[in-house]
Amino acid sequence: MKTFKADNIRNVVLAGHGGSGKTALAEAMLFKCGLTDRMGNTAEGNTICDFDAEEIKRKISINASIANMTWNDIKINVIDAPGQFDFVGGLHEGIRAAESVIITVNGKDGVCPGTIKSYQLAAKSNKACMMAVTCMEVENSDFYRVFTQMKTVFGPSVCPIVVPYDKNGPVEAYINLLTMKAYKYDKKGVPTEVEMPASENRIAGLRAAMAEAVAETNEEFMDKFFMEEEFTQEELVKGIHDGVASGTITPVVCCANDTLSGVDMLLDAVTKMLPSPNERKLETIDGNSADYDENKPFKGIVFKTVADPFVGKISYVKVVQGKLTAKSVPVSTSGAELRFGKLVTVCGKKQEEAAEVWAGDLCAVTKMEANTGDTICDPADTKALAGMEFPRACYFRTLKLIRGGDEGKLSTAIKRLLEEDRTLEYVHNHETHERLIGGLGEQHLDVTAAKLKAKFGLDVEMVAPKVAYREAIKKKVTIESKYKKQSGGHGQYGHVKIEFEPYEGDELLFEEKIFGGSVPKNFFPAIEKGLQEAAEKGSIGGYPVVRMKATLLDGSYHPVDSSEMAFKTAASMAFKDCMKIAEPYLLEPIQSLKVLVPDDKQGDIMSVLSKRRGSVLGMNSMGDGMTELIAEAPEAEMLDFALVLRQITQGLGEFSAEFARYAMLAVGAAVK
């Protein structure tokens, strides 16, 4: 297998809103590069990139998948990232491995929330960005309407490179603004040059706008622009390439995935205008940077992990420095050896063994004990690269085995899935004795349940979790309790007088004010233990009792019949009598929230929080039309908030929640 060095590699991730044509574009690129004999179709479930059983069933991308191809002696590693918000973890994996992001925009649907989020993530991650308006063969697709939307949303950096000529409705030709040539495509996607539209003033305007964008990339070009001299094709390509690298230009191309129209010009743009790995750097954990140098000791980062039931763990690696060979024995940053099975390059589910992979390229290794985000390296240089950040789980459900099953097997399976999907979270709630699994949405957890069944043979159901309430008392009371039992031989005798009262602590506090030795000191621990054990289950709903102070005031004992067990029982009886008359009430957990919402949806979200007994404490402007709301709300009201927030904000909203405190349950509020 041919190896490529960083200069001749382009790593790109296909991002965008769900249904914008990412997988279809990857399929068209592979076919155009001669990697496949027949183009697959998402509806038929036979594409290269969507090969997982759940992806075929649901007809959407769930995982980030990799395909590689060669165009004009340049290797292009394409990462097809999911567009559904529930599976955005795949986009984060792809963003880390790629230097460039191609954002697909459906020519009919236009700019959608997923388009905006992809663009913002690319900008935040300092990635070069290009946009592809797809589905130009679909009826009612309108490139120029979409292009106007792009200009409005993303600003003046948007620069057209390939545009359609569609004056009479359907696209008649695709125009390359760099060469000022027009092409018509046959049914097999083969281009034929045709005469440029003579009277199309819009084309001239777009060409002039492109020239202006190029002029701003350096002083020499700016002088030439003011001298009203025409840029050569090479100067335009260089200017756009430099502008893409600096983030001042976002080139736009258009294509028709199904008919392959314009796909060749998109591939040309990828190879000529998007940066190679050695034009970028990766950050190390100490804030410095690492360049893509094949002459340095090996260093790479695991950007994706797959738990394969047959092969075992598959780790996808971005080689940053040096080269990784089939005989390499890399180490972790702690120096521990990381042996692996095979070194392979990947195209969808197809794997091809490789002898070596150089800096800047992507590959995969089998059976290596490393996790997503880990740095693997040569023992000569164990400095770690910066780790990976993923969105935090915000939608939790209780995980239960249907018809019972092996709890140990479930724990092992969950561990494997957590290694594969870093947006999943697993919590064992010791108060409610429930296993909680968290994800980014309902569909995310549905797919997780399907994976548990398909990969590990475990049937599970997911139900709403219980809320860990507390109980407390309002009234100060004094209880006298005597436990006396005689049944032959030694009897049982314990007598206590205890004062119970509310206090501000988050637990039961025990004190004693005994005078004169009415209860010997050696029985105090037994009395406290009896109270603590009784407080584990209150009288209202069996919830733990907190914010209570119990003071032992008096009592009596028998020199023969008194025992620790007797005093423990007497204390427990006193506690139960207290809960009958001390006006117990429920406390509910309150969460501290940070909710990121579009500015125009602030009022809607604040209204939702108010209806859920929440309160907004403050707000911060985050820029890009987004506001962060600082709020508090009862946990019981937030169990499905992730779904409501996504619906109202069309997927642009995000939130995080942390436990803040316990507060009295409002009268009339439902216990969940």
Side-chain angles (χ1 to χ4, degrees), residues 54 57-58 445-455 460:
E54 284 299 307
K57 172 185 172 184
R58 297 170 186 266
L445 295 188
D446 284 346
V447 169
T448 300
K451 285 183 178 180
L452 285 171
K453 184 173 183 179
K455 291 188 175 184
V460 299

Side-chain angles (χ1 to χ4, degrees), residues 457-483:
L458 295 168
D459 279 327
V460 299
E461 63 176 343
M462 297 185 185
V463 298
K466 296 177 182 176
V467 176
Y469 292 95
R470 296 282 191 271
E471 297 183 28
I473 59 171
K474 296 180 181 178
K475 188 177 177 183
K476 181 178 179 178
V477 297
T478 301
I479 303 295
E480 188 169 355
S481 177
K482 184 181 292 184
Y483 177 65

Side-chain angles (χ1 to χ4, degrees), residues 27 58 130 175 255 475 559:
E27 198 72 16
R58 297 170 186 266
M130 183 169 88
I175 299 172
C255 59
K475 188 177 177 183

Side-chain angles (χ1 to χ4, degrees), residues 180-254:
M180 287 304 286
K181 292 182 179 180
Y183 298 91
K184 191 171 184 178
Y185 290 81
D186 63 18
K187 294 181 179 179
K188 295 183 179 180
V190 178
T192 301
E193 186 176 349
V194 296
E195 186 178 352
M196 277 287 291
S199 60
E200 186 60 31
N201 295 327
R202 181 162 53 183
I203 300 299
L206 293 173
R207 166 84 177 192
M210 181 180 65
E212 185 176 352
V214 167
E216 294 180 1
T217 59
N218 66 53
E219 292 183 6
E220 180 185 345
F221 287 171
M222 182 63 75
D223 292 340
K224 191 169 184 177
F225 179 75
F226 281 124
M227 295 292 290
E228 297 185 359
E229 296 180 19
E230 284 287 327
F231 289 117
T232 65
Q233 182 180 341
E234 291 73 19
E235 288 173 334
L236 289 172
V237 169
K238 183 183 186 308
I240 293 173
H241 176 276
D242 294 347
V244 170
S246 65
T248 59
I249 293 179
T250 303
V252 179
V253 300
C254 64

Side-chain angles (χ1 to χ4, degrees), residues 46-60:
N46 57 359
T47 62
I48 299 293
C49 292
D50 284 356
F51 56 86
D52 183 86
E54 284 299 307
E55 292 178 319
I56 295 171
K57 172 185 172 184
R58 297 170 186 266
K59 296 179 173 49
I60 60 171

Side-chain angles (χ1 to χ4, degrees), residues 145-446:
R145 174 181 58 82
V146 174
F147 180 70
T148 302
Q149 288 180 338
M150 289 179 178
K151 281 282 193 181
T152 302
V153 176
F154 304 118
S157 69
V158 177
C159 177
I161 302 299
V162 179
V163 299
Y165 177 68
D166 55 0
K167 189 172 184 179
N168 298 316
V171 177
E172 298 175 39
Y174 289 80
I175 299 172
N176 188 325
L177 295 178
L178 294 169
T179 61
M180 287 304 286
K181 292 182 179 180
Y183 298 91
K184 191 171 184 178
Y185 290 81
D186 63 18
K187 294 181 179 179
K188 295 183 179 180
V190 178
T192 301
E193 186 176 349
V194 296
E195 186 178 352
M196 277 287 291
S199 60
E200 186 60 31
N201 295 327
R202 181 162 53 183
I203 300 299
L206 293 173
R207 166 84 177 192
M210 181 180 65
E212 185 176 352
V214 167
E216 294 180 1
T217 59
N218 66 53
E219 292 183 6
E220 180 185 345
F221 287 171
M222 182 63 75
D223 292 340
K224 191 169 184 177
F225 179 75
F226 281 124
M227 295 292 290
E228 297 185 359
E229 296 180 19
E230 284 287 327
F231 289 117
T232 65
Q233 182 180 341
E234 291 73 19
E235 288 173 334
L236 289 172
V237 169
K238 183 183 186 308
I240 293 173
H241 176 276
D242 294 347
V244 170
S246 65
T248 59
I249 293 179
T250 303
V252 179
V253 300
C254 64
C255 59
N257 300 338
D258 291 347
T259 64
L260 297 174
S261 301
V263 174
D264 56 339
M265 289 190 279
L266 181 145
L267 288 165
D268 287 338
V270 169
T271 57
K272 294 177 181 179
M273 298 174 190
L274 298 185
S276 62
N278 59 7
E279 296 178 74
R280 295 294 198 192
K281 294 180 183 293
L282 275 185
E283 187 178 349
T284 59
I285 199 168
D286 57 6
N288 294 317
S289 59
D291 54 1
Y292 293 86
D293 188 344
E294 66 266 18
N295 297 314
K296 291 185 177 180
F298 165 72
K299 190 186 296 291
I301 185 168
V302 179
F303 65 90
K304 176 180 171 63
T305 304
V306 172
D308 191 290
F310 304 106
V311 179
K313 182 184 286 188
I314 302 175
S315 302
Y316 290 78
V317 178
K318 170 77 172 288
V319 181
V320 177
Q321 293 178 342
K323 62 181 179 180
L324 180 62
T325 71
K327 296 182 180 179
S328 295
V329 183
V331 299
S332 66
T333 52
S334 65
E337 287 189 356
L338 298 170
R339 297 186 179 274
F340 58 83
K342 294 180 180 180
L343 172 64
V344 298
T345 57
V346 180
C347 189
K349 65 180 178 181
K350 181 182 177 182
Q351 299 177 358
E352 183 180 351
E353 287 196 45
E356 58 185 20
V357 178
W358 291 70
D361 210 347
L362 310 183
C363 61
V365 296
T366 61
K367 301 179 180 179
M368 183 175 71
E369 287 305 314
N371 297 319
T372 301
D374 287 355
T375 299
I376 61 175
C377 47
D378 187 279
D381 182 6
T382 57
K383 184 182 290 184
L385 298 166
M388 296 174 63
E389 293 184 4
F390 289 88
R392 294 221 19 214
C394 57
Y395 182 70
F396 286 83
R397 282 295 178 262
T398 299
L399 187 65
K400 293 184 177 180
L401 280 165
I402 299 175
R403 299 184 299 275
D406 188 341
E407 296 286 342
K409 186 177 179 182
L410 177 60
S411 296
T412 301
I414 291 293
K415 181 182 178 183
R416 296 278 295 277
L417 290 184
L418 292 177
E419 291 174 351
E420 181 178 283
D421 187 349
R422 291 284 298 278
T423 59
L424 282 177
E425 191 172 333
Y426 181 65
V427 180
H428 189 187
N429 191 322
H430 296 284
E431 295 185 21
T432 61
H433 306 291
E434 291 183 322
R435 299 172 182 267
L436 300 181
I437 187 139
L440 301 179
E442 196 169 24
Q443 193 174 23
H444 189 191
L445 295 188
D446 284 346

Side-chain angles (χ1 to χ4, degrees), residues 552-574:
L552 178 63
L553 301 177
D554 202 357
S556 63
Y557 76 102
H558 189 280
V560 177
D561 291 345
S562 288
S563 65
E564 290 185 354
M565 181 58 70
F567 275 99
K568 179 181 175 183
T569 304
S572 176
M573 293 167 58

